Every structure is written in C-alpha cells, then in structure tokens.
Amino acid sequence: MEGRRILRLEQRRADLRFPLPDRFAERVANARIDRLARQAKFLTAHLSTDEVLVMHLGMTGRFTISGEPPGAFHQATGGTIAHDHVVFHMEGGETVTYNDPRRFGFMELWPAATFEAYPRLKDLGPEPLSNGFSAAYLDTALRGKAAPVKAALLDQSIIAGLGNIYVCEALYRAGISPKRLSRSIPGLRAARLAPAISAIIAEAIAAGGSSISDFAGTDGALGYFQHRFDVYDREGQPCKRCGGMVQRIVQSGRSTFYCQSCQR
DNA sequence: GCTTGGACCTGATTGC
DNA sequence: TGCAATCAGGTCCAAG
C-alpha cells in the first residue's frame, strides 16, 4: 500500500468498535499512502491529504490482500464475507479488505499536523524491542506501583505492544509470579524480566505470530508461535521447566496462566 | 491518582 | 441433537 493511491474505499457499515470517520470514503479517495507504519498495536497510514489513518485490529481484525494475477495473493481462508467491513481498492488493482467478526477494531482519521497529540498514541510506553526499553526503565516504571505485575505489563502506557499471551509467557520465562506486586520487581527481577519480554516478542515475530483462532498473515498463512507457548492455554498440563502443574487464574478480568512452583 | 471491573460484539466451545 | 451459558487475543471509561 505504501507509495500507492487509494482509488476508492468501500465502507460497508457505519461503525466498528467506534463510528468510522465522517465522510470516510470521500476523505481517503485518491489519497496516496506516503508512509505505512506501526506503533504498538496500531497501524498508521500517513496520507497525502495531510491526514493520518489510524487502524487497530482489536482482537479478531485482519487485513487480507487480493489482486492480479491470481495466486500472487489470495483471500485468507476462514474469513466470512459478512464481516468484510472496509475494502480499500488500490491503485494497481489490488484490494485490501478489513475483516473483523467481533468488531473490536477501529479506524480513525486525524490531522497530520497535530498527530503527536492523538490521544490513543500519545501516552504509550516504550516498545519491547526499542532502545527506550531496558531493565533500568522497568525499575523506574514499576517502582512504587501496587498493581500486580501482570496488570502492569498489560498497561500500554508502561510498555507498548504486549498482550495477554506474551505477558504470561514473559513472566514464565523470567520465573516471576504474575501475582507479585509491581513494586517488588525493581532490582534483580527487573533484570530478568526485561530481557525475557524482549526475547518473547522477538521470537514470536520470527515465528510469524500466534494463531489462536483468528490470527493469520495477509496471505492467509497462520503464525506458529502458539506451538511454543510454555504456559498460555496449558492449564492442568505439566510445567515444561519444573514439572509442576500450570494453573489458570483470573486477574483484572483476564486469564493468567502460570506455574505456581517455579514462578515466584 | 491509581486500580479494577464492566462494556463493547460475535463465534466457537462446552455442558446440560 | 439442540439450546444456553461461557469464554476469547484489546481498549476505554466509570466507579471504587
């Protein structure tokens, strides 16, 4: 999409999680995508119209690409056409389709001139693979916090881009209990946790992501990281490290999987 | 100010 | 077999 024009946008419903932008199709028609980027879990397309199109997949959103010649790209299997909500008809003939059964994703347009003030991105913490993220940063960010470390790691203003699965896996890798209070992490535990977080993310990206039920690449290929989960979705199964049993608990409404024996 | 829990919505799975 | 209840990867907001 980068460097190409959106010839036409087809909007098939008024809203996703939030209402789609006013006059959406009109505002992006013939706009060139000057830069396509990602910040945390947000996708950003800087348009030649001096607006930024911000896109989020929520939990079940996906983009699929189809075009000519057939076979260059193909529609991912499993996506129901009924949930194809937005279709970008691109210069060159390809179509890029946003499909999202649960409609937890969203798209918004924001003026490029004030994009630094865009509310959903302005308070994000550093990304796990960026220079701004380190054990020293975790020390500072978690110091004095009362919330369990599991909740803190899901907080995008502390670290950007971690979701429930990777938080569970990173805490397991570091041998830290998800119930431990954040304020007890600074020091040696932060020194273990920071590299564990970075490693989990790097490995998941290298494996093509995690396919629980919905995830797939733009060509429909599934990710493989789920085959490497050490604790996530392994309730009742033996811990791969110590042989103890993997437990499932609920913390702030989300499932947490961990080993009570070797995560302290 | 920080933390938690509910809401958003549909589909797959589980249990009766 | 069919139906109802439950749960799911994220984010925001109100309430405590």
Side-chain angles (χ1 to χ4, degrees):
Chain A
M1 296 175 88
E2 193 168 57
R4 298 214 187 165
R5 287 183 186 280
I6 302 167
L7 294 183
R8 182 169 64 89
L9 179 138
E10 205 179 324
Q11 179 185 338
R12 297 187 176 165
R13 57 174 300 125
D15 61 349
L16 296 172
R17 178 173 176 188
F18 308 118
L20 286 161
D22 287 338
R23 302 181 294 107
F24 189 21
E26 188 184 323
R27 285 161 72 183
V28 302
N30 293 311
R32 188 181 59 243
I33 297 179
D34 289 331
R35 189 157 54 90
L36 191 61
R38 176 197 62 78
Q39 273 182 261
K41 302 173 192 170
F42 298 79
L43 299 167
T44 55
H46 293 254
L47 305 178
S48 56
T49 50
D50 293 328
E51 289 194 299
V52 182
L53 172 60
V54 181
M55 299 165 280
H56 195 293
L57 302 177
M59 294 203 287
T60 55
R62 73 169 68 164
F63 284 100
T64 55
I65 305 167
S66 56
E68 300 296 332
F73 295 100
H74 60 87
Q75 192 77 13
T77 54
T80 310
I81 290 176
H83 303 303
D84 286 353
H85 305 308
V86 177
V87 182
F88 297 84
H89 295 270
M90 301 302 297
E91 176 182 42
E94 289 86 356
T95 60
V96 179
T97 303
Y98 181 72
N99 177 288
D100 188 358
R102 242 180 120 178
R103 300 206 304 273
F104 271 21
F106 56 84
M107 294 187 193
E108 290 177 325
L109 284 168
W110 193 269
T114 58
F115 192 57
E116 285 186 359
Y118 176 67
R120 302 185 203 282
L121 290 177
K122 73 180 171 63
D123 294 322
L124 287 180
E127 305 221 12
L129 300 181
S130 72
N131 290 335
F133 180 71
S134 64
Y137 169 77
L138 265 190
D139 259 32
T140 308
L142 300 181
R143 192 169 296 276
K145 283 193 104 59
V149 62
K150 163 75 190 301
L153 296 184
L154 278 175
D155 183 339
Q156 303 296 297
S157 70
I158 295 176
I159 304 173
L162 289 184
N164 201 35
I165 292 175
Y166 299 135
V167 167
C168 291
E169 292 295 314
L171 286 169
Y172 173 82
R173 180 79 59 100
I176 293 172
S177 167
K179 295 194 280 191
R180 180 172 279 286
L181 300 187
S182 302
R183 59 174 171 244
S184 72
I185 298 297
L188 288 176
R189 293 189 185 93
R192 292 207 308 273
L193 183 54
I197 290 170
S198 303
I200 290 286
I201 289 293
E203 290 168 25
I205 291 170
S210 306
S211 302
I212 300 299
S213 59
D214 306 280
F215 177 84
T218 50
D219 61 354
L222 300 178
Y224 286 95
F225 192 72
Q226 72 277 12
H227 300 305
R228 300 190 200 166
F229 288 165
D230 285 327
V231 283
Y232 187 83
D233 208 21
R234 294 192 65 245
E235 182 181 17
Q237 296 179 45
C239 168
K240 294 180 178 178
R241 186 163 49 206
C242 75
M245 190 185 285
V246 174
Q247 317 265 326
R248 173 183 176 271
I249 57 172
V250 174
Q251 292 179 287
S252 33
R254 314 295 301 278
S255 287
T256 298
F257 297 88
Y258 77 112
C259 173
Q260 214 168 9
S261 310
C262 64
Q263 286 180 255
R264 296 292 178 167

